[in-house]
Amino acid sequence: MDEAAFREVREQRHPLPCVFHGALLARHAVCELVQRSSLAERETLACPSAPAHLNCETLERLFLERATFPLKLHPGVPLTHATVMRLHCGGLRGLQQALQADHADVHRLIGQAQEAHGSLTELPWPRIVAQIVAWQPRRRTPQGPQP
């Protein structure tokens, strides 16, 4: 299946793709609402709730907005996969730590944040941004024969 056809079918099946799909697929977070399915031998993640999806989009925008300067990002320049993973994984880890939550369940974290702070904009952003900046991907182990 070519990439354009894959995207078209995915959009038809799942009009609300998971905002934090990279973090969920990398097992850095979970979400109680996520709907998993397979399409063209790939795992796709979707959100069944429009309000929850909007909350996740808002949180993602806030991660980007608050971390643009510390990460030295340039407005209008497309984000690399590594930068998106840093924003999502580091941001969710920072949010989990700021809320002192046991698990990184995206839906529950957002609900807990809104309950504790009244709004996502009122979160302790310096602590969250520090985790975004500090987040590093797992190092790959060398492949091939070992001496």
Side-chain angles (χ1 to χ4, degrees):
M1 176 178 272
D2 71 27
E3 197 62 26
F6 171 78
R7 286 190 182 120
E8 184 179 322
V9 171
R10 183 183 64 192
E11 288 174 15
Q12 289 172 357
R13 280 194 189 172
H14 307 295
L16 298 175
C18 177
V19 173
F20 295 106
H21 67 276
L24 270 63
L25 289 173
R27 309 267 190 255
H28 286 278
V30 296
C31 181
E32 65 184 18
L33 297 180
V34 73
Q35 293 179 334
R36 295 175 181 266
S37 62
S38 295
L39 177 63
E41 297 182 8
R42 297 187 205 179
E43 188 173 11
T44 60
L45 307 178
C47 184
S49 169
H53 188 265
L54 182 60
N55 286 337
C56 287
E57 285 181 329
T58 301
L59 184 62
E60 179 189 42
R61 276 192 231 107
L62 287 167
F63 285 163
L64 178 59
E65 177 186 298
R66 305 297 163 99
T68 294
F69 181 75
L71 293 179
K72 300 177 180 131
L73 302 176
H74 301 286
V77 176
L79 299 174
T80 64
H81 173 74
T83 301
V84 171
M85 290 297 288
R86 190 176 213 183
L87 288 167
H88 290 181
C89 297
L92 291 171
R93 182 172 62 184
L95 181 59
Q96 179 185 2
Q97 289 177 1
L99 297 172
Q100 299 176 345
D102 294 334
H103 298 12
D105 183 306
V106 180
H107 181 67
R108 288 184 184 187
L109 285 174
I110 290 173
Q112 189 177 350
Q114 290 172 328
E115 185 178 307
H117 297 277
S119 168
L120 295 176
T121 59
E122 301 302 320
L123 293 170
W125 285 104
R127 291 177 61 190
I128 295 170
V129 170
Q131 288 300 314
I132 292 172
V133 172
W135 189 84
Q136 294 292 319
R138 287 185 267 225
R139 298 286 173 212
R140 292 182 180 254
T141 57
Q143 301 296 322
Q146 299 295 320

